[in-house]
Amino acid sequence: MTKSVDLEVFHGLILDDFQKQAIAALLEGKSVLVSAPTGVGKTLIADYLIEEAQKKNKEIVYTAPIKALSNQKFKQFKNLFGEDQVGIITGDVVINSNAPIKIMTTEIFRNILHSRPDDFAHASHVIFDEIHFIGDDDRGAVWEEAIILLPESMRMLGLSATIPNAGELAEWLSHIRKEEIEVITHHKRAVPLSHYGYVPGVGVVPLEDLDRVIRDRNLLQMDLYADHLDLIADIEDRYLPCLYFVFSRKKCEIKAKELADARNYLTRAERMQVLEFFDSMIEPYEIENIPSVKRMRHLLSRGVGVHHAGLLPILKDIVEELFARKLISVLYCTETFAVGINMPVKSVCFDSVEKFTGVDFRPMLAQEYFQMAGRAGRRGIDKEGHSFILVDLKHYQKESYEHLREENVEKLQSRFKLSYNTILHLIDGQDEVITQMLLEKSFAAFLRNRDLYLVEDAIQSMQDLRSEKKKLMCPQDDNYLCPLDAAKYRNRLRKVKRKLSRSRQTRKARSKALLEQKARLEAILKKPVKNCSEKEKRTCYEARRDREILKGELKRLEVARRELVNELRIEEEFAAKKQVLEYLSYVKGESLLDRGKIALDLHVQELFVTELIASGFFHDRPLEEICAAVVGIDFDRRRGDGRLVRHKYFDLEPLLELQDRLALVEMRFLGATTVRFDPYLSLQAYLWAKGASFEEILRIAPVPEGDIVASLRRSIDILRQIRAAVQGDLSLTEKLTEAMKLIDRDVVSVNI
């Protein structure tokens, strides 16, 4: 174990032992994985590492799972290290990309490692913030690829919320990196956290007493109901400011309005301060008449806020700034607010213990709960943080609350999968080592192979033990009947005779089989019984019994082995997707064809976009139609968004036909399709590129403003990828740049 560094204070904060241990390990040249609760100061370790890199004129990469966190870190590091020292690359935003401190999403980092790994030749470290996202269904595969492709010259610092299998993760990292990974775990929160349920008709109840109180008072039989206003009213005198987590954007807004209509948390002077700041921030965008902007202005003037992905980015910026200034007492938010945004509060509330998955409801995972609840408790201000869950007695299940303990935080699981882009890079590089690493050395493969080794070792041990037990038994002798078997055979014979006596003459086949069985048993029982001592009988009996027990265990282990062998089929996925690429003329054997070379620079809907490029779509169509098409690439319509608005401006039918054609090819080889094109926002994108105001495009369909902005910004990212893929075609690259400029204006622009 690395000793602590001789450093007590950093940036005015007293360092804990785990921070000093992590810093010491980094100074020794080791890669480090830190697993610690939310809010204990893991980012201080990253700050120290960056300062050390600056002193040594070394570059450093800081990756984050989402763009919002990347943007926040960019602002923070500009203040810490100077504007010229920090750059950001997130696909839709590229600023000062040659700066020594490079901030990027993990996906962008992975993409650059695939195509231009030499870009990091002078980087000493990569910092993986929120590395537990390796277990995320959507993003986890990106993290694994980035780690696998990481150059040997770079060391890594992984920062994670508490994960119970940090040792397994470090073991895998050591295995693929061929270096020692120092694991630093810390379990004590900077501010202790207390957990409560808010029970209708009762009030605040410690979570460990929740079920007893509900059962003792027979509350499940009563028609009792409490809502967020009851909970806030109960805690507002002692536990504000608070984050109130709601797993629905719409409900966030409804509840915030209800509270703002019932309460006012600001003095007159504070209200004027909020309104002046709000108006000054939105003035450049001319959006003051948009209904959501008016609603937010009213909420904030009462000390109540809303924060979710459907808001305009400028509104989220305003909310975050006012929250940091302590001018918001209750902030209704979705769980994305808990990812990286370091804004601790006195308490955290949950509107429900269940989350909607898009299909049905499920209880919160312990990992999710502690990521959010961990925001409760301000270091140096609060002696204790408080978490409150609003209890719905009509749908009460005690298990949904009882598992919310830190010892129940779920293990990280691999989410590794292969994209077409990854397969093309593997074929293009023809590097057997990298291919083997990606196909066989993912976190999933490591865990599978390790478990398989343990199971096979256990099977061999069981088989050896069964052989040892057999040696204790009497040797088989066909001339004698074992005394331990005599009673068994006599019982079998009696049963056969009973069946024969009951069998009818018409069932000749059954009677014949019983007669044959009777004859075999009678022949066995005619043999003389072997003369064994009582001690021999006892030894033989115990050996037989043990062998039967071992036989059952062996069957269980054989089933486990089969499951492990079938668990990971990356090789099959590789082969099937390669067949798709060969059928579509992207690949021939082990060589890339022209389409395959184009797709190397595409990381979203590679097949669909490449076909558009090859068809001449981007050459032939006007800029506005290009913007309309690109916004639909990989668009995922939210539940309740409504129907597609029909119009006469342009024809996207050929693109829908292309989607169907590619889907049929994938279904043939994969049994499923990955192609996704939905022109739901295409009309908005077309009119925006034509110069329409944001208010005008909002009238087309009831889509959250933040979703429109996010989709338009994602279009910029896709256009940038297409531009890289066709970089030899100067006229087309210029055209794509113009398309990006048409989108990147006014409220859609990012100012960081």
Side-chain angles (χ1 to χ4, degrees):
M1 174 64 73
T2 301
K3 295 180 180 178
S4 293
V5 70
D6 186 19
L7 179 70
E8 296 299 327
V9 178
F10 181 65
H11 285 183
L13 298 171
I14 298 173
L15 294 177
D16 290 331
D17 286 342
F18 85 95
Q19 293 165 319
K20 291 188 279 188
Q21 289 170 4
I23 289 170
L26 290 166
L27 292 176
E28 289 176 11
K30 296 178 182 178
S31 287
V32 176
L33 174 64
V34 180
S35 170
T38 301
V40 298
K42 294 187 291 290
T43 54
L44 273 181
I45 302 166
D47 294 346
Y48 185 90
L49 178 61
I50 293 171
E51 287 195 11
E52 283 297 305
Q54 288 238 293
K55 291 176 187 176
K56 298 173 183 176
N57 293 319
K58 287 286 187 181
E59 293 181 359
I60 204 155
V61 177
Y62 196 110
T63 77
I66 57 176
K67 291 178 183 177
L69 182 53
S70 298
N71 294 346
Q72 184 195 27
K73 289 296 178 185
F74 180 63
K75 294 175 188 175
Q76 177 188 336
F77 289 160
K78 276 198 304 182
N79 293 332
L80 277 174
F81 305 111
E83 194 166 334
D84 61 328
Q85 295 297 301
V86 186
I88 184 169
I89 312 170
T90 60
D92 61 327
V93 175
V94 179
I95 300 172
N96 201 16
S97 59
N98 293 320
I101 302 170
K102 294 177 172 63
I103 298 169
M104 58 187 72
T105 56
T106 311
E107 184 174 13
I108 292 294
F109 182 57
R110 185 278 310 265
N111 296 348
I112 297 174
L113 285 174
H114 261 312
S115 54
R116 306 188 309 277
D118 290 344
D119 284 10
F120 304 116
H122 302 294
S124 63
H125 288 79
V126 58
I127 298 164
F128 289 110
D129 201 356
E130 311 279 0
I131 197 172
H132 53 273
F133 265 77
I134 202 171
D136 184 80
D137 286 335
D138 297 323
R139 304 182 184 97
V142 167
W143 290 75
E144 287 196 49
E145 278 195 48
I147 291 168
I148 290 169
L149 295 171
L150 193 64
E152 290 183 13
S153 60
M154 290 181 77
R155 293 291 173 261
M156 61 170 284
L157 168 62
L159 303 176
S160 172
T162 303
I163 47 175
N165 58 333
E168 282 185 340
L169 181 60
E171 193 179 347
W172 169 65
L173 293 169
S174 296
H175 175 68
I176 62 169
R177 299 271 306 146
K178 307 301 180 190
E179 64 162 322
E180 180 184 356
I181 306 292
E182 188 82 15
V183 182
I184 308 292
T185 56
H186 182 70
H187 302 290
K188 186 178 179 181
R189 283 176 44 86
V191 181
L193 182 60
S194 296
H195 308 270
Y196 304 93
Y198 185 78
V199 184
V202 178
V204 173
V205 175
L207 212 54
E208 62 268 22
D209 297 332
L210 185 63
D211 192 63
R212 179 184 57 79
V213 169
I214 289 173
R215 304 293 177 187
D216 287 353
R217 301 195 186 190
N218 202 27
L219 298 177
L220 297 178
Q221 306 304 317
M222 301 180 188
D223 189 19
L224 296 172
Y225 175 78
D227 68 7
H228 67 112
L229 295 177
D230 300 313
L231 173 51
I232 294 297
D234 210 326
I235 69 171
E236 65 183 358
D237 289 339
R238 296 177 58 194
Y239 300 118
L240 300 189
C242 88
L243 295 177
Y244 197 109
F245 285 103
V246 185
F247 302 124
S248 160
R249 297 178 183 179
K250 186 176 181 180
K251 288 182 180 178
C252 269
E253 305 221 5
I254 291 171
K255 292 177 189 299
K257 182 181 184 304
E258 289 174 348
L259 182 63
D261 288 346
R263 297 278 196 280
N264 179 13
Y265 295 103
L266 299 181
T267 64
R268 183 179 178 84
E270 288 171 335
R271 180 176 183 273
M272 294 305 297
Q273 183 183 345
V274 165
L275 293 178
E276 285 176 12
F277 174 73
F278 185 93
D279 293 342
S280 68
M281 290 290 285
I282 68 164
E283 184 180 4
Y285 302 103
E286 298 181 355
I287 54 173
E288 62 274 6
N289 293 321
I290 293 176
S292 63
V293 175
K294 292 180 177 180
R295 289 195 299 269
M296 183 67 81
R297 190 177 189 272
H298 167 68
L299 295 176
L300 295 174
S301 73
R302 312 276 289 182
V304 178
V306 172
H307 193 288
H308 59 69
L311 295 175
L312 287 171
I314 184 61
L315 293 183
K316 287 191 284 186
D317 290 344
I318 291 170
V319 168
E320 290 168 19
E321 179 60 29
L322 292 176
F323 196 77
R325 294 186 188 183
K326 300 181 175 58
L327 291 170
I328 296 177
S329 293
V330 182
L331 178 62
Y332 290 88
C333 55
T334 54
E335 63 183 308
T336 53
F337 193 83
V339 180
I341 298 177
N342 186 23
M343 292 189 181
V345 287
K346 193 162 191 173
S347 69
V348 164
C349 297
F350 295 86
D351 199 57
S352 172
V353 76
E354 292 191 323
K355 289 180 60 180
F356 185 68
T357 63
V359 179
D360 56 12
F361 289 90
R362 65 160 175 82
M364 271 188 293
L365 300 176
Q367 175 74 61
E368 294 167 336
Y369 172 72
F370 283 101
Q371 179 86 35
M372 292 177 271
R375 294 298 171 199
R378 298 162 297 180
R379 193 170 188 169
I381 300 174
D382 301 316
K383 292 182 178 179
E384 192 174 40
H386 305 270
S387 172
F388 303 93
I389 303 173
L390 187 62
V391 178
D392 182 356
L393 293 175
K394 290 185 178 179
H395 301 95
Y396 174 74
Q397 296 287 335
K398 69 174 185 177
E399 297 81 8
S400 299
Y401 299 84
E402 287 181 342
H403 85 286
L404 299 178
R405 300 190 180 100
E406 292 204 74
E407 62 267 25
N408 293 335
V409 170
E410 297 78 13
K411 287 186 174 184
L412 279 187
Q413 298 293 326
S414 174
R415 307 298 178 194
F416 190 73
K417 53 193 172 187
L418 287 167
S419 67
Y420 287 110
N421 180 273
T422 297
I423 293 170
L424 289 167
H425 274 285
L426 293 176
I427 295 169
D428 183 51
Q430 296 183 344
D431 188 329
E432 292 183 6
V433 175
I434 293 179
T435 303
Q436 182 192 31
M437 286 176 72
L438 280 173
L439 296 184
E440 300 179 11
K441 296 191 177 179
S442 67
F443 188 33
F446 171 77
L447 294 176
R448 189 276 309 261
N449 292 337
R450 187 202 58 183
D451 290 346
L452 188 59
Y453 171 80
L454 293 173
V455 167
E456 289 180 338
D457 189 52
I459 288 173
Q460 186 61 53
S461 298
M462 292 283 184
Q463 290 171 338
D464 292 345
L465 194 52
R466 285 198 87 210
S467 298
E468 291 298 317
K469 293 295 180 183
K470 189 172 183 179
K471 292 176 184 177
L472 298 174
M473 297 164 55
C474 297
Q476 294 291 326
D477 189 339
D478 291 338
N479 297 317
Y480 290 92
L481 177 62
C482 174
L484 298 177
D485 293 334
K488 176 181 69 177
Y489 287 125
R490 281 194 289 270
N491 286 334
R492 286 184 186 175
L493 182 59
R494 279 195 293 271
K495 289 178 182 178
V496 169
K497 287 179 177 178
R498 280 199 300 271
K499 289 177 182 178
L500 273 169
S501 66
R502 291 197 298 266
S503 66
R504 296 178 182 177
Q505 194 65 30
T506 54
R507 302 173 68 180
K508 293 181 179 179
R510 176 172 171 77
S511 296
K512 183 180 178 181
L514 288 170
L515 286 168
E516 290 174 353
Q517 192 174 355
K518 175 176 174 286
R520 284 197 301 272
L521 291 168
E522 287 174 338
I524 291 171
L525 287 167
K526 284 179 181 178
K527 293 179 182 180
V529 178
K530 191 173 182 180
N531 186 21
C532 298
S533 67
E534 289 302 316
K535 181 179 179 182
E536 287 174 326
K537 289 180 185 178
R538 186 167 57 253
T539 301
C540 198
Y541 170 77
E542 290 174 353
R544 281 189 174 197
R545 179 198 61 197
D546 292 345
R547 275 175 61 83
E548 282 303 307
I549 293 171
L550 291 169
K551 183 180 179 181
E553 286 297 305
L554 273 170
K555 284 184 178 179
R556 183 183 63 79
L557 288 168
E558 291 286 358
V559 170
R561 177 165 62 181
R562 282 196 299 273
E563 288 176 351
L564 285 167
V565 168
N566 295 328
E567 187 177 279
L568 195 67
R569 293 296 186 187
I570 297 296
E571 296 88 347
E572 291 181 5
E573 184 185 358
F574 180 88
K577 287 188 172 177
K578 188 180 176 187
Q579 282 183 301
V580 172
L581 293 169
E582 287 176 334
Y583 182 85
L584 293 171
S585 299
Y586 285 60
V587 172
K588 186 174 183 180
E590 299 304 314
S591 300
L592 296 189
L593 302 178
D594 288 343
R595 275 178 164 81
K597 292 173 182 176
I598 290 171
L600 281 174
D601 286 300
L602 303 172
H603 300 277
V604 58
Q605 293 296 321
E606 301 95 308
L607 302 182
F608 189 84
V609 176
T610 300
E611 293 303 311
L612 285 182
I613 294 171
S615 70
F617 177 88
F618 296 106
H619 287 88
D620 301 338
R621 297 293 184 99
L623 293 174
E624 297 84 1
E625 290 190 28
I626 289 174
C627 295
V630 170
V631 80
I633 295 171
D634 208 40
F635 179 76
D636 187 13
R637 197 183 307 194
R638 289 178 60 83
R639 196 169 65 101
D641 272 352
R643 296 180 179 180
L644 184 68
V645 177
R646 297 294 175 183
H647 56 82
K648 59 183 179 180
Y649 295 102
F650 51 86
D651 180 19
L652 289 179
E653 195 60 35
L655 279 73
L656 295 170
E657 291 173 0
L658 171 62
Q659 176 184 231
D660 292 341
R661 180 171 68 84
L662 292 174
L664 286 173
V665 174
E666 285 197 303
M667 289 298 296
R668 174 180 172 183
F669 294 104
L670 306 180
T673 181
T674 64
V675 181
R676 189 160 60 187
F677 173 76
D678 184 348
Y680 184 65
L681 292 179
S682 291
L683 179 56
Q684 287 92 327
Y686 178 87
L687 295 176
W688 181 253
K690 278 280 193 183
S693 70
F694 198 72
E695 278 191 72
E696 288 174 316
I697 68 169
L698 286 180
R699 299 190 192 114
I700 297 170
V703 182
E705 297 94 327
D707 288 346
I708 294 176
V709 171
S711 297
L712 291 171
R713 293 223 58 81
R714 189 170 49 80
S715 298
I716 295 171
D717 184 4
I718 295 172
L719 287 167
R720 185 172 276 119
Q721 291 182 35
I722 297 169
R723 188 176 64 180
V726 299
Q727 56 187 317
D729 187 336
L730 295 181
S731 63
L732 183 53
T733 57
E734 289 177 4
K735 186 177 183 181
L736 293 169
T737 300
E738 286 303 310
M740 291 161 63
K741 288 178 181 177
L742 291 180
I743 298 172
D744 195 13
R745 65 176 175 87
D746 300 335
V747 73
V748 174
S749 292
V750 173
N751 296 310
I752 52 176

